[in-house]
Each structure stands twice: as C-alpha cells, then as structure tokens.
C-alpha cells in the first residue's frame, strides 16, 4: 500500500492494531516567495519573530488523543541533553541543545476518503515547529549549533542549493545565537556572477545578514561540498575567525539526534 502525502511531516499508518512509519519528505511546508524593489532597510526584521500557525478544519483533521503533552516552551534556552535509554549507546552523545523549535509537534489524524478497511493515516506536524525555522531542519540545528557554541565558534559555514531550506534555517538560527553565517549556494553557471536577488529563501537569508557565496552546479559537482566548505573554513581561519562547518542538510551523526528526539515524541 502506498500513500503519498504533500505535507512536510512524518506519516504513521495504523492497520489492524499495528503501527509502522512510512518514509516521506520532512521539509518546510512552504517557503517565502517574494521579491521587492525596495531596499533591505525598509523591511522590519522583527517580523521574523512571528510564528506561523495553520488552521485545520474539524472535517479534515482531528487531534491525536495519545500525543505528548507539550511542555512550556523557552526559546533559545540552553539545556542539558539526556538521550532516551534505547539510544544511550550511540556516539557522539550530545551534552546539551538549544531550544530553537516548538516541540513536541502534534500528531493529527487525517480523515482521507476511500482508505482501505481498518487503515488510519496520522500526520506528525513538523510544519508548525516555527516559521522561518519550520520543518525538520530545526531539529538537527538544535544539536549542531549547541555543539558549535560549545566549541567556541563565532561563525557558521554551510552549503546547499540556491533555495535551500536548510541554509535559510541555519542563517536564522545562527543570527539568534549571535553567530555570523556563511552560505555557499549552488546555482546555474549563468547566475554565478550576478546578484542573487531577494527571491524565496534568499530574502530571509539576506535579512538576517548571511554572507552568500555562489558556486556553479558544474563546480559543485567537480569539487564537492566537503571540499568547498573546507576551503571557506580555511579562509576564515586565516582571518582569525572560529568557523564551525555544518554539512549539506545538517546531515551527520550529530544532526541525526534531532530525529531520535522526533521518535521519542
């Protein structure tokens, strides 16, 4: 049985008393799509502190009666981390995290028509984990940026596509923690030497003061993301900075702890 879901959430299927998780895309529900002839100074950066909430009609969704009760949310709080017992043998073991997202996110039942008998669809709503940090990206960043601060970093380096949701979330989270952010963004060869503008995620990244370097898709494929971030890291070290490199998508062993927490929820 295959079920395709156009939501940025986890999908849980219940059938005949059994539960299993289906893989699906965990990413932001929507991205900002906006261009403007106005200068950046005319935008109110405080607006980024607003949280987006999505209204669900009772006919389409209902809350899960078994979801975890949310604890009071304390934004940007540094807190010690205690892993679940079943994951305590994994390495590296994080010592602490920063509260960047609104967790736990709720689980909603989705009343789809024409489902097979005894089948239910439940949605893990990571699209409401925040606004500019929405989706799964913030789960990884809570651990990655916690490690960056612990190592005394003063700036963050990461890489991705020209409209990378990970890069947008990293730029905003770094700003919250008073860290400079350097983004290497992959684009077409024709646009490498041009101003990338204020389209989509670029608007948010430039509002929070991220440093943007463009690289062509051809160079990206030839050199590789690890080599490109290493080159930028060396440049920053030579300038006396203390950079912390986050790989594409924040996908490494430390970032994986964000998903371990999602499972615990």
């Amino acid at each position: 049985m295959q079920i395709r879901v156009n939501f940025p959430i986890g999908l849980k299927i219940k059938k005949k008393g059994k539960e299993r998780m289906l893989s699906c895309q965990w990413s932001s529900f929507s991205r900002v799509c906006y261009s403007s002839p106005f200068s950046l100074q005319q935008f109110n950066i405080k607006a980024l502190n607003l949280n987006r909430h999505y209204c669900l009609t009772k006919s389409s969704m209902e809350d899960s009666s078994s979801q975890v009760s949310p604890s009071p949310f304390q934004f940007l709080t540094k807190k010690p981390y205690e892993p679940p017992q079943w994951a305590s043998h994994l390495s590296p073991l994080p010592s602490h995290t920063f509260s960047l997202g609104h967790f736990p996110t709720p689980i909603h039942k989705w009343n789809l028509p024409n489902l097979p008998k005894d089948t239910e669809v439940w949605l893990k709503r990571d699209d409401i984990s925040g606004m500019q940090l929405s989706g799964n990206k913030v789960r990884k960043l809570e651990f990655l940026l916690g490690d960056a601060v612990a190592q005394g970093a003063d700036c963050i380096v990461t890489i991705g596509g020209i409209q990378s949701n990970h890069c947008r979330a990293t730029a905003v989270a770094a700003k919250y923690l008073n860290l400079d952010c350097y983004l290497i963004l992959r684009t077409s060869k024709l646009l490498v030497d041009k101003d990338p503008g204020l389209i989509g995620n670029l608007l948010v990244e430039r509002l929070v003061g991220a440093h943007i370097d463009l690289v062509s898709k051809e160079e990206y494929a030839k050199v590789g993301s690890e080599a490109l971030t290493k080159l930028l890291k060396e440049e920053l070290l030579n300038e006396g900075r203390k950079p912390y490199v986050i790989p594409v998508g924040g996908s490494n062993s430390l970032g994986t702890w964000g998903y371990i927490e999602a499972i615990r929820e």
Side-chain angles (χ1 to χ4, degrees):
M1 176 177 59
Q2 294 182 345
I3 297 181
R4 182 176 180 179
V5 178
N6 294 322
F7 279 85
I9 31 68
L11 177 62
K12 182 168 68 175
I13 301 296
K14 287 185 176 181
K15 187 171 184 180
K16 295 182 179 179
K18 297 182 179 180
E19 297 183 5
R20 63 189 179 94
M21 294 296 294
L22 296 183
S23 62
C24 64
Q25 183 180 5
W26 290 61
S27 62
S28 297
F29 179 75
S30 62
R31 67 164 51 125
V32 180
C33 292
Y34 181 75
S35 62
S36 171
F38 302 108
S39 65
L40 290 178
Q41 287 78 8
Q42 291 175 280
F43 290 98
N44 183 1
I45 296 180
K46 291 183 179 179
L48 292 176
N49 293 324
L50 298 176
N51 292 314
R52 176 178 297 170
H53 298 281
Y54 298 97
C55 297
L56 306 175
T57 60
K58 188 174 181 180
S59 61
S60 62
M61 289 188 177
E62 61 185 39
D63 290 342
S64 167
S65 59
S66 60
Q67 72 182 53
V68 179
S69 298
S71 56
F73 177 69
Q74 295 180 317
F75 188 58
L76 294 183
T77 300
K78 180 181 177 180
K79 54 185 180 181
Y81 180 69
E82 295 184 7
Q85 186 175 2
W86 48 266
S88 59
H89 64 286
L90 299 177
S91 179
L93 191 64
S95 60
H96 65 275
T97 66
F98 276 100
S99 298
L100 297 172
H102 296 265
F103 299 120
T105 52
I107 299 175
H108 293 144
K109 183 180 179 182
W110 198 9
N111 295 319
L112 292 174
N114 303 319
L115 285 175
K117 185 178 180 180
D118 299 324
T119 299
E120 296 177 345
V121 178
W122 294 77
L123 307 176
K124 179 67 170 168
R125 296 296 308 280
D126 268 19
D127 57 304
I128 53 176
S129 62
M131 187 184 74
Q132 66 276 14
L133 290 172
S134 62
N136 68 313
K137 313 304 179 185
V138 65
R139 289 189 179 275
K140 301 177 184 181
L141 291 172
E142 288 195 330
F143 291 90
L144 292 167
L145 292 183
D147 187 49
V149 172
Q151 293 189 27
D154 62 8
C155 58
I156 303 297
V157 174
T158 195
I159 188 170
I162 190 69
Q163 288 294 339
S164 166
N165 290 330
H166 159 71
C167 288
R168 179 208 67 220
T170 301
V172 174
K175 186 67 174 181
Y176 280 142
L177 298 176
N178 295 318
L179 301 171
D180 289 337
C181 186
Y182 291 81
L183 304 177
I184 303 174
L185 301 180
R186 182 182 66 252
T187 187
S188 68
K189 190 175 182 179
L190 297 176
L191 299 177
V192 167
D193 297 324
K194 297 182 179 180
D195 188 311
L198 300 173
I199 302 296
N201 288 334
L202 287 164
L203 171 63
V204 178
E205 291 159 0
R206 300 184 87 170
L207 278 172
V208 297
H211 303 266
I212 296 175
D213 291 327
L214 299 181
V215 60
S216 69
K217 296 177 182 178
E218 292 80 6
E219 184 179 1
Y220 184 96
K222 181 179 179 180
V223 179
S225 62
E226 290 187 20
L228 288 169
T229 54
K230 184 178 180 180
L231 287 171
L232 180 52
K233 177 182 178 180
E234 290 175 352
E235 290 181 13
L236 292 169
L237 287 171
N238 291 334
E239 295 174 4
R241 305 300 302 273
K242 298 178 181 178
Y244 182 92
V245 175
I246 295 177
V248 176
S251 299
N252 60 12
S253 56
L254 185 58
T256 300
W257 284 95
Y259 291 103
I260 292 175
E261 279 303 295
I263 294 172
R264 174 150 67 175
E265 288 180 14

